[in-house]
Amino acid sequence: MNESPLWEPGRERIEAAAVTRFAREVATRHAVEFPDYAALHRWSVEHAEDFWCELWRFCDVLAQDRGDTVLENPERMPGARWFPGARLNFAANLLRHRGERTAIAFRNEHGDCRRLTRDELYDRVRDLAAALRAAGIVPGDRIAGFLPNIPETVIAMLAATSIGATWTSCSPDFGVHGVLDRFSSVEPRVLFCADGYYYNGKRIDTLARTAEIVAGLPSVERTVVIPYVDPAPSIESIPGAMRIDDFAPAATGEIEFVDLPFDHPLYVMYSSGTTGKPKCIVHGAGGTLLQHLKELVLHTGLNENDTIFYYTTCGWMMWNWLVSSLATGATVVLWDGAPFAPRPAAMFDLIDAENIRVFGTSAKFIAAAEKAGLVPRETHDLGALRTILSTGSPLVPENFDYVYRHIHPDVCLSSISGGTDIISCFALGNPALPVWRGELQCRGLGMAVDVYNEDGRPVTGQKGELVCTRPFPSMPVGFWNDPDGSRFRAAYFERFPGVWAHGDYAELTAHGGLVIHGRSDAVLNPGGVRIGTAEIYRQVEKVDAVLESLVIGQRWDDDVRVVLFVRLREGLQLDDILCERIRAEIRANATPRHVPAKILQVTDIPRTISGKIVELAVRNVVHGEAVKNTDALANPEALEQFRDRPELRD
């Protein structure tokens, strides 16, 4: 166990934290005491209806009506309904702040820079919402975006949701089949696209792919093109396409926000789709809004004086989470491009240029920055930086050390974990709590998160399945085209009936935090011993020669053997000496069971478009089984390195 935390908030910071004010107000209003966060969390779960009402009040949610009932059918999971009488509009809550303060700051690796004030954002949304109404769009229609992370993407989403349409998006690095696998299921009436995007020094045209996508989507009535990389793109190849300025001329007056039920479909999100056609996950407007406000205000400490950034594309749920920051009045920073372009320190340049207080990234980025030898603490000011958020994969203890030694000694480093399935987090940060090495700070308020052993019993200090045992507002409304809910129940409730099983292999700590050991469907099982993949990655990637790695369990002699693939620094070759160094590191810091039977070199690690490595796809290839949907991968060609390798036959 760690002897002391890596970071602790000072008394002034604790007193100023929104979560502290919230706890005090709730304690007074309900005549309870919260000596610590654990007590507050326990109350929020045991008195869930009171908690979510208090959050609604504290965050001043805009709604036509909240209704009299908070939770209907609380004993049913799935089947419970939150605020069944409420009527609200998601976009109205995000556009509630007006004036000349910057709402969106946009930059890209090409050097472009744009800003939109709150009033300018409102006006742009008003114009586009009026155009959508004129095109006959009504509540429940789907509007799709095949777009980079630019201000127009936010504008299109807000315009669609302001009139009750359902928004769905893919980033422009998806291939045609990947987009069609997603959008064809939900049948959008309008498709927004850009003419291209920038990545790693390249300008990438997307209009040819858009033409194919439109041809495969007979439901699309209008294709609206946003000039981005070219001020006057040629759009003749796309039947019926028109530029956004022609589609949405300037309008007047105020936005006519449509108030809708709490669980009205706001977003359709998609699972990664690496094991088959992506699941179309429907998220309700009220649940998404409440959960995001809770996480941004209480767990991140965001307020209207802050500037927040998350490195994401609009094909990842962190885009949706980031954009909800507008509801707090904070300035949202968008970035289009690679994280290390036009130079390795680009993201730290961005922090200084925009005075970012909350910087969100991935564990992969932090590890890559360390491997690249970046020491931002010495090269950048970072004076505004208060919080660093990390997600996408487990943040290993050594990454925590790097942040505090070489990036900033006085930030709240919050590793957060949840997913597309809940468009939010089960475990995340807290600006009023200490940071312990290798741990997510706490379980989310109102979330009955636990870890179950194989027998379905809650355990602490042991690895098991991450579960949620009670209803929560951001549980999906369901899956698209799943009328009886059977696919939805099979996805989350078959493992433990009546309990949400999230698919993460996790461990609750003595500090009340959480450690994620990898996906439970990728857990290794040599000799019957369950090993999380993150446990191995942590040790392997300490070796300086290794840039990244991927581990699988290969069926062998009626058992499973551990096979490790490594991507090395440029110019290095795997030899017996390096293999022994890797094995020694694993043996010394994990157990002999973790030591791989085989270590093989590859030049690339296959990953999803949102950047997550795909252990299951590699395992299928090694076993000679089909990978059902390579269109979900950013680099499907990388899978060929794992196919028919002679080293895996002995």
Side-chain angles (χ1 to χ4, degrees):
M1 183 183 299
N2 299 322
E3 294 293 327
S4 59
L6 288 174
W7 175 85
E8 291 185 86
R11 174 52 52 188
E12 184 178 339
R13 188 159 178 173
I14 293 172
E15 290 295 318
V19 68
T20 303
R21 284 192 291 109
F22 176 79
R24 284 179 179 158
E25 291 182 18
V26 170
T28 300
R29 289 164 59 84
H30 293 268
V32 292
E33 293 184 3
F34 300 127
D36 53 23
Y37 178 80
L40 176 62
H41 179 264
R42 187 164 51 251
W43 180 86
S44 74
V45 169
E46 294 174 354
H47 300 84
E49 294 183 44
D50 288 337
F51 167 75
W52 290 105
C53 282
E54 287 293 344
L55 182 77
W56 187 302
R57 176 195 61 81
F58 189 80
C59 294
D60 192 23
V61 172
L62 292 181
Q64 182 189 80
D65 190 3
R66 201 188 72 183
D68 297 325
T69 302
V70 178
L71 180 58
E72 189 176 79
N73 303 321
E75 73 289 345
R76 291 174 58 185
M77 188 132 150
R81 287 190 67 204
W82 291 91
F83 299 100
R87 296 189 71 83
L88 53 77
N89 185 276
F90 179 82
N93 279 271
L94 271 62
L95 291 169
R96 64 187 301 171
H97 300 276
R98 303 290 294 275
E100 293 304 309
R101 181 177 170 83
T102 300
I104 294 175
F106 166 74
R107 291 177 183 258
N108 63 21
E109 67 170 54
H110 188 61
D112 298 335
C113 178
R114 283 193 283 151
R115 312 183 86 76
L116 286 175
T117 67
R118 293 167 173 175
D119 283 349
E120 288 170 338
L121 175 62
Y122 183 95
D123 290 347
R124 295 282 299 277
V125 173
R126 178 199 59 204
D127 297 347
L128 192 52
L132 289 171
R133 283 180 183 275
I137 300 302
V138 297
D141 284 344
R142 277 76 61 205
I143 307 296
F146 180 55
L147 290 163
N149 189 18
I150 56 178
E152 288 78 7
T153 309
V154 180
I155 292 164
M157 181 277 287
L158 290 171
T161 57
S162 74
I163 61 177
T166 300
W167 175 259
T168 190
S169 60
C170 289
S171 59
D173 47 0
F174 276 74
V176 171
H177 293 296
V179 176
L180 291 177
D181 278 349
R182 289 158 173 79
F183 290 170
S184 63
S185 298
V186 300
E187 300 178 305
R189 290 185 62 190
V190 177
L191 174 68
F192 287 92
C193 65
D195 57 333
Y197 65 101
Y198 297 100
Y199 195 81
N200 210 21
K202 297 178 182 177
R203 173 180 141 169
I204 301 168
D205 178 82
T206 54
L207 289 178
R209 271 182 291 147
T210 299
E212 291 186 63
I213 290 164
V214 171
L217 291 174
S219 65
V220 170
E221 299 166 12
R222 296 176 186 267
T223 301
V224 181
V225 180
I226 298 160
Y228 172 44
V229 300
D230 185 338
S234 174
I235 60 174
E236 288 73 20
S237 62
I238 306 171
M242 57 195 311
R243 294 182 180 87
I244 189 167
D245 288 343
D246 297 325
F247 177 70
T252 58
E254 300 295 310
I255 300 172
E256 298 177 41
F257 294 106
V258 178
D259 288 308
L260 296 157
F262 188 83
D263 58 2
H264 178 78
L266 171 73
Y267 293 134
V268 177
M269 308 290 292
Y270 305 96
S271 63
S272 62
T274 54
T275 57
K277 197 167 183 177
K279 298 187 291 286
C280 302
I281 306 168
V282 183
H283 289 292
T288 300
L289 178 66
L290 270 189
Q291 186 79 307
H292 286 184
L293 284 172
K294 180 200 75 177
E295 294 180 350
L296 290 161
V297 174
L298 301 186
H299 286 280
T300 309
L302 195 68
N303 64 57
E304 66 175 344
N305 297 314
D306 289 342
T307 299
I308 182 172
F309 167 80
Y310 218 107
Y311 181 82
T312 181
T313 69
C314 60
W316 188 24
M317 62 142 284
M318 293 313 301
W319 180 86
N320 307 73
W321 191 90
L322 171 66
V323 172
S324 289
S325 302
L326 292 169
T328 72
T331 297
V332 172
V333 178
L334 307 178
W335 172 266
D336 175 47
F340 292 99
R343 71 189 199 101
M347 292 296 95
F348 301 105
D349 296 341
L350 183 66
I351 293 172
D352 281 350
E354 293 294 344
N355 291 313
I356 291 169
R357 299 196 75 187
V358 179
F359 174 75
T361 187
S362 64
K364 177 191 169 193
F365 170 83
I366 293 173
E370 180 177 17
K371 292 281 185 181
L374 298 182
V375 186
R377 184 177 179 179
E378 297 179 0
T379 58
H380 291 71
D381 178 63
L382 308 181
L385 192 61
R386 181 184 67 195
T387 300
I388 295 178
L389 306 175
S390 170
T391 193
S393 59
L395 189 67
V396 301
E398 291 74 19
N399 294 157
F400 280 72
D401 298 338
Y402 169 71
V403 168
Y404 284 107
R405 288 174 186 164
H406 299 302
I407 297 181
H408 202 302
D410 189 24
V411 291
C412 182
L413 174 57
S414 298
S415 179
I416 65 178
S417 181
T420 298
D421 314 79
I422 63 168
I423 204 169
S424 57
C425 303
F426 280 127
L428 66 172
N430 184 328
L433 287 180
V435 173
W436 294 87
R437 189 172 185 260
E439 297 183 17
L440 286 74
Q441 285 176 281
C442 62
R443 290 174 279 186
L445 291 170
M447 309 294 276
V449 176
D450 229 321
V451 173
Y452 276 9
N453 64 15
E454 288 287 296
D455 299 322
R457 297 182 182 278
V459 293
T460 298
Q462 300 177 34
K463 297 163 192 168
E465 299 284 337
L466 180 68
V467 300
C468 192
T469 60
R470 301 189 187 190
F472 52 94
S474 65
M475 187 181 294
V477 174
F479 289 166
W480 198 264
N481 293 329
D482 182 27
D484 63 356
S486 57
R487 291 172 55 234
F488 178 65
R489 290 191 298 274
Y492 307 111
F493 298 97
E494 278 191 349
R495 180 75 175 85
F496 304 107
V499 171
W500 176 288
H502 193 55
D504 278 344
Y505 192 49
E507 177 183 356
L508 285 171
T509 73
H511 306 124
L514 201 75
V515 176
I516 305 293
H517 294 288
R519 293 292 297 170
S520 54
D521 55 8
V523 164
L524 310 172
N525 200 19
V529 178
R530 286 167 62 83
I531 296 170
T533 54
E535 299 174 71
I536 293 179
Y537 297 142
R538 174 189 171 187
Q539 307 308 329
V540 173
E541 292 172 22
K542 286 182 190 176
V543 178
D544 186 63
V546 179
L547 289 176
E548 59 181 346
S549 58
L550 182 147
V551 66
I552 65 163
Q554 182 191 16
R555 296 191 291 268
W556 194 259
D557 287 343
D558 299 320
D559 196 357
V560 170
R561 68 178 182 181
V562 178
V563 178
L564 174 70
F565 300 94
V566 293
R567 183 170 76 88
L568 304 180
R569 290 184 181 276
E570 188 174 354
L572 296 183
Q573 291 295 316
L574 186 68
D575 56 21
D576 291 343
I577 295 174
L578 182 52
C579 283
E580 187 47 43
R581 278 183 58 204
I582 293 170
R583 289 192 171 99
E585 192 74 43
I586 295 171
R587 187 180 293 109
N589 295 294
T591 75
R593 289 282 190 185
H594 292 72
V595 176
K598 294 280 186 179
I599 304 177
L600 303 174
Q601 184 174 357
V602 292
T603 59
D604 200 6
I605 300 287
R607 59 185 72 254
T608 65
I609 289 171
S610 62
K612 296 179 181 180
I613 63 172
V614 285
E615 293 135 329
L616 297 185
V618 170
R619 191 171 70 191
N620 286 351
V621 168
V622 166
H623 289 134
E625 298 166 359
V627 177
K628 295 182 181 178
N629 193 357
T630 57
D631 285 317
L633 302 182
N635 53 343
E637 67 283 353
L639 286 174
E640 293 307 310
Q641 297 181 80
F642 303 85
R643 195 182 307 278
D644 298 325
R645 292 194 66 147
E647 304 99 322
L648 295 176
R649 294 198 288 268
D650 56 34

